[in-house]
Amino acid sequence: MNKNLENKSKTGLQPYIVRRKQTVAKIGVFGVGYYKYWNQFEGLLDALKAKQDVFLKKLQKHEVEVIDFGIIDNVKSAYDLVPVLKAANLDLIFCDMLTYATSSTFGTIIRSIDVPIVMVALQPDKALDYANASTYMQLYNDDICSLPEFAGVAVRMGKKVPEMIIGTLHDDPDSEVEIEEYCRIAKVLHDVKTVRIGHIGHPIEAMLDMHTDATMVTAHFGAHIIQCEAHEIVSQYEKVSDSEIKAAKERILDFFDTPDPVSDPISEKLKEEDLVTAAKVTVALEKFVDEKQLDGLAYYYEAEDNSTTRLVMSNLTVGNSLLTGSGFPMCGESDIKTCMAMLIMDRLNIGGSFAEFHPVDFKDDFVLVGHDGPHNIAIAEGRPVLRSLKKYHGKPGFGAGVEFKIKEGPITILSISSTFEGKFKFVIAEGESVEGPIPATGNTNTRGFFKKDVRIFLRRWTKEGPTHHFALGVGHHAATIQKIANYLNIESVIID
């Protein structure tokens, strides 16, 4: 088992999926105020510090590292803070709008810092006690007062207006949801700039939309693409012991169902020899990922007919599905861009399964969404299925195929495509995974409903120039993913 996995986390499926050890995002917080108030209003500064402490505790609940940089109340302290923020190697910064503050406390920071900044205006009282109101009470609750001024100076500094959270410090579920969202965004931003994604082979030769410049991945995300070789998995495969195969078989059968075939003539009940191959390849794959210190893998490698390399490289599906569910996105057809989309969804804790559009049901107005190959079994509806496939359509080889549908309810899809200028683009949409039968073909499929209707949606989606692959996650998270695109300075569009 990969040493980067931990046994504690569960996904709700039985038996549990072993999740990767979570990396910890680093978040900075600085409060702002106006130094002239401190001598005028006794106790106000201490009261504002107490407000900031409440906010810090809210962040610490979300398994992130939080660094408190205190309160900035004049231009000198702002200039002094800039090198400290830069040295802290932060993933996200919260500016806590504790009371009115002049924009000199913010201007040099927004100008000099490339880390995303979120302005937080959480008022301690839901409303002023108007009968007993005082200037002190107003200043204590003046959290939103400087938002327009700070936004205006950001524009004058040539920067985008920061995102903001507006609400109350206590008993405000909406602001709690937003705080949690930005902590998850910080985790994505932390990982995309450091992940190591393996790459084996090349896209299927005719899939021109799949080709990706590995240097551009580093340029836009920070991730490093590790060019790997098929023999590195094969060499691990040849060293797998009988006891390791037995343990892997038990793990697979504990997790997957193996039903009788239904209507597809190329599918059979899982054969023992296919199970043994899948188990042996799973062990080899996990050792390979560990040895190369990978966080994901995009692969496609045909190899010579009847060779061990072809047997291994065409039977990665089961092991890759287990690893994807564990937090190591594995992407078939050598699709690096979709591997990155899957990783973004995984770090948002919403899944991220390899997918494309399948036939449309014009009777009930939905489109099947799925793919052959590896998938994120952590977001399966019910128990995933293994079938023996006599052939993999469009690809060489045969063996165990993974079949399931995504959990019923809201879904989000993300395609990362390339433009003529060589830049990336996020194409995002939200829909619903709805109950109903799927084809028993040893592949994943989900009944995807998208508004306004399936014809209009598919036309609008296609007009944005996506790749034909995309990552599929659970819940509605288009706005969150678009914020990530904005922070990465990547073009994005939501098909709404």
Side-chain angles (χ1 to χ4, degrees):
M1 182 60 64
N2 190 294
K3 66 184 179 184
N4 291 317
L5 299 178
E6 56 188 353
N7 292 315
K8 295 179 181 178
S9 301
K10 297 187 179 182
T11 64
L13 292 176
Q14 294 297 330
Y16 62 78
I17 294 174
V18 182
R19 287 287 296 171
R20 58 179 285 279
K21 292 180 180 178
Q22 182 173 286
T23 53
V24 179
K26 189 181 291 188
I27 293 177
V29 179
F30 68 92
V32 291
Y34 192 28
Y35 71 97
K36 290 187 177 181
Y37 292 155
W38 313 149
N39 290 331
Q40 292 179 323
F41 299 94
E42 185 179 353
L44 179 61
L45 179 58
D46 288 337
L48 299 182
K49 289 178 180 178
K51 280 173 59 175
Q52 187 160 322
D53 286 341
V54 173
F55 177 63
L56 292 168
K57 288 183 174 63
K58 290 178 183 289
L59 293 176
Q60 289 162 353
K61 293 187 298 184
H62 297 293
E63 298 179 315
V64 293
E65 180 182 352
V66 182
I67 302 177
D68 179 11
F69 293 98
I71 295 177
I72 308 306
D73 60 5
N74 60 36
V75 67
K76 183 181 184 306
S77 57
Y79 272 90
D80 290 344
L81 181 61
V82 167
V84 179
L85 289 175
K86 288 183 175 181
N89 191 28
L90 302 168
D91 301 303
L92 190 79
I93 298 171
F94 286 105
C95 174
D96 198 356
M97 314 288 288
L98 298 169
T99 185
Y100 172 75
T102 63
S103 50
S104 65
T105 60
F106 185 70
T108 186
I109 294 173
I110 192 70
R111 175 193 174 278
S112 305
I113 299 296
D114 291 328
V115 176
I117 296 177
V118 179
M119 299 188 296
V120 182
L122 296 180
Q123 186 174 301
D125 299 323
K126 291 189 180 294
L128 295 182
D129 179 359
Y130 300 110
N132 299 293
S134 65
T135 302
Y136 179 101
M137 185 184 299
Q138 175 182 317
L139 296 177
Y140 181 58
N141 287 278
D142 244 346
D143 299 78
I144 69 156
C145 189
S146 288
L147 285 176
E149 183 175 341
F150 281 28
V153 82
V155 172
R156 297 197 70 185
M157 294 292 171
K159 299 287 187 172
K160 296 176 183 177
V161 174
E163 298 286 346
M164 59 200 80
I165 300 174
I166 300 174
T168 60
L169 191 60
H170 309 287
D171 304 318
D172 184 355
D174 290 341
S175 67
E176 295 288 350
V177 169
E178 291 185 81
I179 290 168
E180 190 264 346
E181 176 192 25
Y182 284 109
C183 288
R184 289 190 295 125
I185 287 173
K187 293 175 183 179
V188 173
L189 297 175
H190 179 277
D191 277 17
V192 297
K193 65 187 179 185
T194 59
V195 294
R196 292 166 53 88
I197 295 177
H199 182 231
I200 295 178
H202 54 79
I204 294 178
E205 188 273 330
M207 291 183 179
L208 300 184
D209 61 329
M210 290 297 97
H211 293 270
T212 303
D213 183 337
T215 302
M216 288 298 98
V217 174
T218 302
H220 290 277
F221 294 99
H224 184 49
I225 306 303
I226 312 299
Q227 301 297 345
C228 304
E229 300 293 339
H231 72 78
E232 294 176 295
I233 302 178
V234 175
S235 63
Q236 294 287 358
Y237 173 86
E238 292 172 338
K239 294 184 289 187
V240 176
S241 68
D242 290 342
S243 61
E244 289 174 316
I245 294 172
K246 180 181 178 182
K249 282 175 57 179
E250 291 174 355
R251 184 152 55 100
I252 291 167
L253 292 176
D254 278 346
F255 195 85
F256 290 93
D257 196 7
T258 58
D260 291 327
V262 185
S263 58
D264 191 342
I266 72 167
S267 72
E268 304 175 279
K269 186 176 178 63
L270 181 66
K271 297 188 296 185
E272 174 65 17
E273 55 264 40
D274 290 341
L275 174 59
V276 170
T277 298
K280 191 173 179 181
V281 172
T282 295
V283 174
L285 185 62
E286 290 175 345
K287 290 182 176 181
F288 161 76
V289 167
D290 189 41
E291 183 179 78
K292 302 292 288 189
Q293 298 181 334
L294 300 181
D295 300 293
L297 176 69
Y299 69 94
Y300 183 76
Y301 195 86
E302 294 192 356
E304 186 180 2
D305 194 17
N306 296 319
S307 64
T308 302
T309 301
R310 173 167 288 187
L311 178 69
V312 172
M313 296 307 295
S314 62
N315 277 277
L316 298 178
T317 297
V318 176
N320 276 349
S321 295
L322 290 167
L323 279 165
T324 299
S326 300
F328 297 84
M330 300 290 185
C331 198
E333 299 181 5
S334 204
D335 190 348
I336 294 172
K337 295 191 294 293
T338 299
C339 191
M340 180 61 71
M342 292 164 65
L343 185 132
I344 289 170
M345 285 193 167
D346 180 86
R347 300 310 192 257
L348 284 175
N349 201 29
I350 63 172
S353 200
F354 189 40
E356 66 185 5
F357 291 123
H358 283 172
V360 174
D361 188 316
F362 288 103
K363 292 181 180 179
D364 292 329
D365 196 43
F366 68 83
V367 59
L368 289 170
V369 183
H371 208 286
D372 61 349
H375 304 285
N376 195 323
I377 52 180
I379 55 172
E381 180 69 40
R383 196 173 179 191
V385 163
L386 287 185
R387 301 185 189 277
S388 282
L389 298 179
K390 300 175 185 177
K391 63 183 76 173
Y392 297 132
H393 66 275
K395 304 179 181 71
F398 56 88
V402 174
E403 175 185 307
F404 65 87
K405 59 181 177 178
I406 301 299
K407 288 180 180 178
E408 293 161 10
I411 56 175
T412 301
I413 61 177
L414 166 64
S415 168
I416 300 180
S417 65
S418 297
T419 68
F420 177 75
E421 294 79 16
K423 298 180 179 179
F424 294 116
K425 178 180 178 180
F426 284 20
V427 184
I428 314 161
E430 295 176 340
E432 301 289 327
S433 169
V434 180
E435 188 218 353
I438 61 171
T441 57
N443 300 167
T444 63
N445 267 298
T446 288
R447 291 171 159 236
F449 284 77
F450 299 92
K451 297 178 179 179
K452 179 177 180 184
D453 62 47
V454 69
R455 300 172 193 249
I456 292 174
F457 167 74
L458 288 173
R459 185 179 295 117
R460 294 185 64 197
W461 173 267
T462 303
K463 279 184 172 289
E464 294 298 335
T467 58
H468 74 281
H469 294 155
F470 49 83
L472 171 61
V474 294
H476 282 166
H477 301 281
T480 300
I481 293 172
Q482 188 165 60
K483 289 173 185 173
I484 292 168
N486 291 340
Y487 289 145
L488 295 170
N489 294 313
I490 293 175
E491 178 186 358
S492 66
V493 62
I494 297 174
I495 310 300
D496 57 19

